[in-house]
Amino acid sequence: MQVSMTVNGQQRTDEVEPRTLLAHHLRDNLGLTATNIGCDSTSCGACTVIVDGLTVKSCTVLALQAEGSEVTTLEGLAGPDGELHPVQAAFRSEHGLQCGFCTSGMVMAAVGVLADNPNPTDREVREGIEGNLCRCTGYHNIVRAVLKAAESGPAAGQVPTAKQEVTA
Amino acid sequence: MSILGTRVVRTEDPLFLTRGAVYTDDLTDERLTGALHATFVRSNVAHGTVTSVDVSAAKEAPGVVAVYTAEDLGDLQPVPPPLPFLDAGFSRPWLVPVGGRVHFVGDLVAVVLTEERYQGEDAAEQVVVDIDPLPAVVTTKAAATDETVLFPEVGTNKVAAFGEPAPEDFFADCEVVVRREIVNQRVAAAPLETRAASAAWGEDGRVTIWCTNQGAQQAKGQIAGWLGLDPALVHLVTPDVGGGFGAKIGADQEYAFVAWLAQRSGRPVRWTESRSENMTGMLQGRAQDQVVTIGGTRDGKVTAYSLEVTQDCGAYPRIGTVLPTLTMLMAAAVYDIPKVHAQATCYATNGTSIGAYRGAGRPEATAAIERAMDLFAAEIGMDPAEVRRVNFIPTFTEPVTTSSGATYDSGDYEAALDRVLAAAGYAELRAEQARRRERGDVRQLGIGVSAYVEITGADSGHGTSENAELEVHADGTATVLTGTSPHGQGHATTWAMLASEQLGIPVEKITVLHGDTDRIPDGGGTMGSRSLQQGGAAVHQAAVELVEVARKRAAELLEANPDDLEVDLANAGLSVRGTPGVGVTWAQLAADEQLIVQTTFTANAPTFPFGAHVAVVETDVESGKAVVTRLVTVDDAGTIINPLLAEGQRHGGIAQGVGQALLEEILYDEDGNPQTSTFADYPFVSATELPSFELVEMATPTPMNPLGAKGIGEAGTIGSTPAVQSAVVDSVAHLGVRHVDMPATSMRVWRAIREAQKGSTN
């Protein structure tokens, strides 16, 4: 079947099997491999992307369900000149990533957390990213990074292409 | 000012944060164009005899190119156990044949090659495997009876034994003796990236294998050996790796299988396992049953300690078989105990094979003696921190050999404890605990104290050596080649800092490469917290040597005395001391003649990081649920090169320790069926179950390498696991509880309280 969606600001139309998961569509058909798959049970969140302003686990969404949608992945988060999104910048400055496998999903989830709650507490950040697992950092520096990104103001909860707030 | 010791942010991150790292499943290498997808058909029975494998339907399924069973393997020989002293009867077949035995849920029976990924899963489901079940051996207790023997040709489930029983009078002169069976449960390493491999054969008859691992050179050697290939024909490349934690040390049989399938099919082949496959197929950790016996005087001096280990090796014994020897070596821990006894017996069971997991043998030693110290303290009515203080090895700067045979390089265990207790506000915590107990609060406070020492940089198959190659290029940049194998640790940044410190070339202009056996034929990989103290030290040594080479060449060019030349940051090269304008740049020197150094650093001996942790938990005594509210840690790993990254290692380690202490456990039912084979079932520790950590600094340099650095990768886990377990026990100690096995789940704690109130010991 044919599926069309806007991915990181670009219109994409592709032939997919109806059962194709959005995560596989992004990775295998569109070559956007920053989105990772870490489990089979919607548990780890490594595949988190933003669809029409909502953070979703793309391993649990069919590509066809994103028909006509605006999809943002990690690759679409930085500015056109390569300037890091506030959440990306904070993950770097706070050492919020080690092996990097959870990072794409964690960054997208963090954008969603900050859209919903621009000034979260330590506890609220932890609750916000509970659906995203990390084995390397013990979450300590991820939480620091999200709190640091919050200092950047509303931009930390926005994605650049759609210029819309994201609802967690 | 030196760059060493500063918080340099990672050079890896801009790419990781914008395009994502490139893991094995992400590769778009043109040699993999048109690759087939491999899907393994695995046994869903833990123990049994295969009576038939019907692949006829699978062969007709859409997209199927080939289906292989044991009949198709030709002269491929079963893979022998990885340790020379193990019985060859423990060898693992590539695919279990009809008439052969499966030994765990996850054993390989067939493999399907398809054009597309999804087609593989469909076709694999069409393979019909009949297995006649045999009784499953799930526990080491059952294994030890030999009522069911897993490998009849071996004749026993006993895989290995280390050490001798303690003499009968070992505790005869003790005023107090406490004995306890404790469990150090089986857990999953659970890196977020599952196992994956790809392979493509070239027209030159060589195979390139990309796979996720912790050391390309070791993995290459294993794969070549298993397939009977000339190692010169194998080129192994390690892409970015999404975590390892010990479980990706070396190669797994599936990786070699992918190379064989590519040769057999004449097409490149890719394989990426699912999480449920990973949770049964990847090496797991710990899995020790322990008996601790501790004896001493009523005023708190421990005079004798015994640790008896029963190690579950899983179905096909692998490296986990020898990890108890590290547990035995570290049995005495930070304590000056006149008599220490340790022994271990290892058994095969119908579970997943056991390998290294963060700490690998040392957390088990620390957990055992720290539990024993707490039990001893409780028995004589002494504060657990005070009992530790009474028994510490005094501060030392010259090597000290313990009663269990380890020779420690440097340590100040009491200072570590003092610092962590002060930072935690120990006295006030005890006062708050007393108030809550007095009031009979539902939420009681528990305070757990641990002290630890561990061994890092031990010989894990590559001696205590590591290589480095350093080249300065004509454009003024530099490249480091290392035999270590980062998978999150940030070697690209830290190794560049070490080179930059000597050369003055900025970190951003130094590229660090690893994990390509054609470019780096020899290397020890990253495991056992060895990388900085050996691989980093090699980079440091290479940089020092390269400056010497450059100094001689510059002296000739400038007609100056080499001793008068020094690295000049402003000039990006070497200048005559006192006359900064007179000099030569790195770029000029490299343009004149290749400027390259290859070197090997060999450490004199392993190093012994140490520390002390305080964990605070709040336990709801009505539900049994314990929540960690604080974790305060001293982790002394000698000189710190990049505090930002070292802290990250501590954070991750601490979290994994909490996971084991409170939540995580691989479970089987009585038939050997895994009960925790997805992340929905396995309680992987999440952000809400952890506090932010309070790290306290302490650095006692080691004389074993010029950096003064010890390992930091595993320390957090070793310290936090017993601290958290102890805190849970402490939170309900006033109700009569002396011990709760890990994971200290709500149910376990609740039951322990009920048992204590009924008056029975627990």
Side-chain angles (χ1 to χ4, degrees), chain B residues 489-515:
Chain B
Q489 295 86 350
H491 296 180
T493 305
T494 307
W495 285 200
M497 289 169 69
L498 291 165
S500 177
E501 170 72 5
Q502 301 302 321
L503 306 180
I505 296 174
V507 161
E508 308 79 60
K509 291 191 171 181
I510 301 172
T511 304
V512 179
L513 300 176
H514 73 277

Side-chain angles (χ1 to χ4, degrees), chain B residues 601-644:
Chain B
F601 170 76
T602 302
N604 297 328
T607 59
F608 293 83
F610 61 92
H613 287 201
V614 170
V616 182
V617 304
E618 281 189 348
T619 302
D620 182 319
V621 297
E622 292 177 350
S623 71
K625 183 169 177 57
V627 175
V628 180
T629 58
R630 291 180 66 196
L631 266 162
V632 192
T633 83
V634 170
D635 301 291
D636 187 328
T639 307
I640 301 297
I641 305 300
N642 185 332
L644 188 68

Side-chain angles (χ1 to χ4, degrees), chain B residues 408-576:
Chain B
Y408 300 161
D409 53 344
S410 60
D412 190 348
Y413 307 136
E414 187 165 10
L417 182 70
D418 287 344
R419 284 193 194 204
V420 82
L421 293 179
Y426 187 68
E428 173 48 31
L429 285 170
R430 286 287 176 210
E432 170 64 12
Q433 179 183 54
R435 288 192 287 272
R436 293 199 193 188
R437 287 180 177 178
E438 179 75 17
R439 291 196 300 261
D441 283 5
V442 172
R443 290 207 306 179
Q444 288 291 330
L445 205 65
I447 306 146
V449 177
S450 76
Y452 72 88
V453 59
E454 61 138 336
I455 177 171
T456 65
D459 182 359
S460 50
H462 197 259
T464 53
S465 296
E466 191 50 86
N467 316 300
E469 179 181 306
L470 174 60
E471 179 171 10
V472 174
H473 307 288
D475 62 358
T477 65
T479 302
V480 174
L481 302 187
T482 178
T484 65
S485 193
H487 40 285
Q489 295 86 350
H491 296 180
T493 305
T494 307
W495 285 200
M497 289 169 69
L498 291 165
S500 177
E501 170 72 5
Q502 301 302 321
L503 306 180
I505 296 174
V507 161
E508 308 79 60
K509 291 191 171 181
I510 301 172
T511 304
V512 179
L513 300 176
H514 73 277
D516 182 320
T517 58
D518 277 7
R519 296 194 68 177
I520 309 162
D522 187 39
T526 289
M527 59 199 74
S529 300
R530 67 182 294 274
S531 292
L532 178 60
Q533 60 186 300
Q534 290 165 15
V539 173
H540 165 81
Q541 181 170 297
V544 169
E545 290 176 10
L546 190 132
V547 169
E548 280 313 302
V549 171
R551 202 192 300 272
K552 285 183 190 134
R553 288 197 204 161
E556 285 178 25
L557 274 175
L558 300 171
E559 296 180 345
N561 184 337
D563 295 340
D564 292 338
L565 289 168
E566 61 185 7
V567 173
D568 177 4
L569 296 186
N571 187 32
L574 299 173
S575 292
V576 177

Side-chain angles (χ1 to χ4, degrees), chain B residues 1-13:
Chain B
M1 184 191 138
S2 172
I3 193 172
L4 303 187
T6 66
R7 304 171 75 83
V8 176
V9 296
R10 296 205 313 179
T11 57
E12 294 92 331
D13 289 354

Side-chain angles (χ1 to χ4, degrees), chain B residues 37-203:
Chain B
H37 291 264
T39 306
F40 290 103
V41 177
R42 295 172 181 272
S43 171
N44 56 13
V45 173
H47 194 200
T49 306
V50 177
T51 56
S52 72
V53 181
D54 181 355
V55 300
S56 54
K59 281 186 169 170
E60 301 304 317
V64 171
V65 173
V67 183
Y68 300 112
T69 66
E71 292 178 8
D72 304 308
L73 294 175
D75 56 1
L76 211 47
Q77 297 301 308
V79 171
L83 304 158
F85 62 88
L86 294 180
D87 193 304
F90 290 118
S91 295
R92 183 177 177 192
W94 295 84
L95 297 172
V96 179
V98 171
R101 278 197 196 189
V102 294
H103 287 105
F104 72 107
V105 171
D107 228 344
L108 303 179
V109 179
V111 58
V112 177
L113 291 182
T114 55
E115 296 286 352
E116 303 288 340
R117 192 192 299 263
Y118 287 11
Q119 291 167 341
E121 291 191 39
D122 291 342
E125 283 185 7
Q126 302 288 315
V127 176
V128 182
V129 180
D130 284 327
I131 297 171
D132 197 6
L134 292 161
V137 177
V138 179
T139 64
T140 52
K141 281 192 175 68
T145 66
D146 275 337
E147 281 174 21
T148 299
V149 174
L150 270 59
F151 296 86
E153 58 274 41
V154 178
T156 173
N157 296 321
K158 188 193 277 190
V159 176
F162 306 101
E164 302 293 331
E168 277 187 19
D169 60 352
F170 199 69
F171 294 93
D173 56 358
C174 297
E175 293 172 14
V176 181
V177 179
V178 185
R179 184 174 183 278
R180 176 101 219 174
E181 288 183 27
I182 60 181
V183 176
N184 207 295
Q185 80 273 26
R186 176 188 278 261
V187 291
L192 258 254
E193 184 205 20
T194 58
R195 294 177 299 165
S198 303
W201 289 80
E203 290 178 1

